[in-house]
Amino acid sequence: MTSLDAQTLQPARRRLTPNDARLRTLRVKTTRSVFLAGAALSTLLLIGSVIVRGVQGAAIDTSKLVQGDQFVMESPEFIGNTREGKRLKVTGARATRSVSDAAGAVRLEKPKLETADGSVATADEGIWSQDAQTLSLKGNVVFSRKAGERATGVSALWTSDPSVLTVEGGTQITLPGGETATAQSLQWDEAKGAVALLGNARVTFKDGEATSDQAYFDKESRTLTGTGSIRIRSELGTGAADRYVYNTASKRLQMTGNVIAQLR
């Protein structure tokens, strides 16, 4: 009986020529590049999908998606609907996220938030948190509404459920009738279409001003309602009350509850 060893049973290995080796190396590099680009593209599209529902990303140059240890997207644009079913768009000059942290924060340069109602919020910087479903804005925050309101602040936070934008830090707002107001913070409720001034709310009218703990502006009735520690000053005198209602269209001011007035 003929004895066969293990080496005899194995097929002879084919020696690689220099050209074969070069082609094999090229295939490995190509496969690796396609994998990285695909992973980066999926990650960046995920950024958009968590911001809004039914998102469609803008055209992407996959060759530049990975730069060092960051996923990078130039001129990102994410479009979809809020939980209330209203259209929402988030854009920026640039978006980045760490390659090593697929669920980490997305940093945006020059972010811009736009809603179906014509409301817009812009800032110098922005951070999208996938876990918390929030968009934070920082530096020269400007918020404006189609109806004419315009507010500024140092920072802001947008939450997706409910859809509310809170502006903080030296908040100032201009109402459609030309009245100006300041407060510690401002909250804009997209679903209700209302603006709340919280903490030392001060509203300046044509012939005076009103201060209160908080004040609420309703775009439908065009009324500004102040509550808590009411103080009124006008050309007619001063007053105090539990509540005031000011109509920005008719310019009429009404005070109710423990009213104390001192005329000049």
Side-chain angles (χ1 to χ4, degrees), residues 162-233:
S163 183
V164 174
L165 178 70
T166 302
V167 183
E168 302 276 357
T171 302
Q172 297 183 344
I173 184 171
T174 301
L175 300 177
E179 298 81 9
T180 60
T182 60
Q184 293 177 352
S185 66
L186 174 151
Q187 284 188 345
W188 155 58
D189 190 315
E190 170 72 6
K192 297 179 180 178
V195 175
L197 299 168
L198 305 175
N200 298 323
R202 181 183 299 271
V203 181
T204 302
F205 309 111
K206 180 179 179 181
D207 300 315
E209 65 177 22
T211 59
S212 58
D213 292 337
Q214 55 269 326
Y216 303 89
F217 179 73
D218 182 82
K219 70 174 184 178
E220 298 297 333
S221 61
R222 297 190 65 179
T223 56
L224 182 70
T225 302
T227 59
S229 304
I230 303 297
R231 295 291 185 273
I232 305 293
R233 180 185 60 81

Side-chain angles (χ1 to χ4, degrees), residues 5 13 16 31 66 92 104 135 179 185 213:
D5 57 22
R13 294 183 179 178
L16 294 177
T31 302
V66 180
L135 175 65
E179 298 81 9
S185 66
D213 292 337

Side-chain angles (χ1 to χ4, degrees), residues 90-157:
V90 177
T91 58
R94 199 167 186 252
T96 60
R97 183 161 71 179
S98 174
V99 172
S100 62
D101 189 1
V106 179
R107 298 184 179 276
L108 297 168
E109 296 178 10
K110 299 296 182 183
K112 183 177 183 180
L113 173 71
E114 300 176 78
T115 73
D117 293 335
S119 299
V120 177
T122 60
D124 293 336
E125 305 172 16
I127 297 178
W128 168 253
S129 173
Q130 177 177 334
D131 293 335
Q133 294 282 288
T134 59
L135 175 65
S136 62
L137 303 172
K138 182 179 179 181
N140 297 312
V141 175
V142 178
F143 159 64
S144 59
R145 297 178 66 179
K146 190 175 182 180
E149 306 95 312
R150 185 179 187 276
T152 58
V154 175
S155 62
L157 177 66

